[in-house]
Amino acid sequence: MFKKPTAKLWGTAVLAAFMATSLLSGCGANKNNQESANKATNAPTNAPVVETEKPAPASKKLVVYAALNEDDIVQIQKKFKEDTGIELDYLRVGNAGETSTRIQAEKDAPQADIFVGGSVEFHQTLADQGLLEAYTSPNAKEIEERFNDPKGFWQGWYMGVLGIVLNTERFKKELEPKGIKEPATWDDLLDPAYKGQFVTSNPATAGGGYIFVADQLFRLGEEQGWDYLSKLNKNVHHYTKAAGDGINLTATGEFIAGMSWAHDIVKSAKSGYPIKVIVPEQTAFEIGGVSIVKGGADLENAKIFVDWLLTKPVGEMNTQLSNRYSVRKDVAAPEGMIKIEDVKLVDYDRTKASEMKADVLAKFTEMIDKK
């Protein structure tokens, strides 16, 4: 038979049970406290500790395709790095036409972030093909509307006018004794004395070349304009790929006269070449553009570049470097250049010039192939 436990043993059992209960209760409290602490720190008891992913550092690179003179883009590269800390890698593909063609070829894998330089007609063509990123800089509000694309695909940042480059040494030696006066108008270039002594650029490859052709069509009308171009073609020695090529060939004395951008002519004249610039009445002008290539690797830096390019200090730097007119009214005309208000511009319809370009180039190519 079992014996009843004594009072002493009963007391011992009760004490042991109480201690066990207290111990379990304490463990439960510690567990609850730990879980509360873990919840407070977002670190579950059984979950591994995961480090928060840090955001990638901002890029300090920018790739630019430049349809500008080498010394111009080099100075832009240097100044942009100084002002922003961003490295600018540039590639001079050639003229604006070749640059545009390269961007088209790379549309599935863009290699550049920015297209800078060249007339906005080339930028507009890329915009129409969906190859540019729309962006309107906050600095655009300080610039006349005619220099801003309302859709934001390109931005004008300089302005240039077409002019005649004349080699003064050869002219005085060879033509002046014949009683020929210096050319003052585009029509003066039709004089037979310039046969084989005049050079201009191909409108299919040079922005200046196309604007020159369109200039004649706008100032004379289509029928008389093509008649003028056909007659001038008889005096043209050859058509160069870039607008600036005619300046070099005239400056070195290979030709007596040529057609190019007035600011580039003045720049070469300042270097000591025996040339001068003549800006005829009814001349045309370009709006030099900058645009962001769609799909480029550094979109934010591209926007920074556009903003930077439109500031007054950069506008002043550009006029000093290139003799181009700034699109900003608070930047003075370049030294040695005619004041823009004194230039008599043709009524240049930029929209129409873009729309008729393909037909004009086809007809022009046919004309010069018959020469």
Side-chain angles (χ1 to χ4, degrees), residues 75-148:
Q75 291 303 313
I76 287 174
Q77 176 192 48
K78 179 181 178 182
K79 184 63 174 171
F80 184 64
K81 172 67 181 299
E82 289 177 359
D83 291 349
T84 67
I86 298 172
E87 295 280 355
L88 189 156
D89 293 333
Y90 74 86
L91 176 65
R92 288 186 68 248
V93 180
N95 53 57
E98 291 174 321
T99 305
S100 177
T101 299
R102 178 161 183 148
I103 292 172
Q104 291 169 341
E106 296 174 349
K107 64 180 181 179
D108 295 329
Q111 301 299 303
D113 304 302
I114 285 285
F115 172 20
V116 64
S119 179
V120 294
E121 281 87 346
F122 288 95
H123 297 259
Q124 183 60 55
T125 298
L126 295 175
D128 293 341
Q129 296 172 355
L131 301 181
L132 299 182
E133 185 80 28
Y135 173 64
T136 299
S137 170
N139 294 335
K141 65 180 181 295
E142 302 173 13
I143 295 168
E144 288 183 50
E145 288 186 4
R146 62 174 171 164
F147 299 120
N148 303 331

Side-chain angles (χ1 to χ4, degrees), residues 230-355:
S230 178
K231 291 176 179 177
L232 183 66
N233 184 49
K234 296 176 182 178
N235 283 351
V236 176
H237 182 274
H238 71 280
Y239 296 89
T240 64
K241 287 183 65 176
D245 294 342
I247 301 174
N248 299 331
L249 294 171
T250 306
T252 54
E254 293 184 54
F255 300 97
I256 296 177
M259 185 287 302
S260 192
W261 295 111
H263 55 263
D264 288 332
I265 299 170
V266 170
K267 188 173 185 178
S268 292
K270 288 180 178 180
S271 299
Y273 289 102
I275 57 175
K276 66 181 293 185
V277 62
I278 300 163
V279 179
E281 292 186 4
Q282 295 294 289
T283 192
F285 67 99
E286 73 164 335
I287 299 175
V290 60
S291 57
I292 298 176
V293 179
K294 190 171 185 177
D298 292 294
L299 176 58
E300 293 308 311
N301 288 347
K303 293 178 180 179
I304 291 171
F305 181 81
V306 174
D307 295 344
W308 174 84
L309 203 63
L310 297 181
T311 61
K312 181 180 179 181
V314 178
E316 291 173 335
M317 180 187 75
N318 185 52
T319 61
Q320 293 169 6
L321 288 174
S322 66
N323 298 291
R324 296 183 178 96
Y325 297 105
S326 172
V327 297
R328 295 184 60 101
K329 289 184 177 181
D330 54 0
V331 175
E335 182 182 354
M337 283 286 289
I338 182 174
K339 293 181 179 179
I340 190 61
E341 55 265 30
D342 294 333
V343 177
K344 293 180 173 57
L345 296 171
V346 73
D347 185 11
Y348 194 93
D349 187 334
R350 205 158 296 278
T351 300
K352 185 176 180 180
S354 295
E355 293 174 347

Side-chain angles (χ1 to χ4, degrees), residues 202-204 213 226 229-230 233 239 357-371:
N202 192 322
V213 169
W226 280 111
L229 292 168
S230 178
N233 184 49
Y239 296 89
K357 186 175 181 180
D359 292 336
V360 168
L361 292 182
K363 187 170 183 177
F364 186 90
T365 301
E366 181 181 1
M367 180 188 75
I368 63 176
D369 283 347
K370 294 178 179 179
K371 186 175 179 179

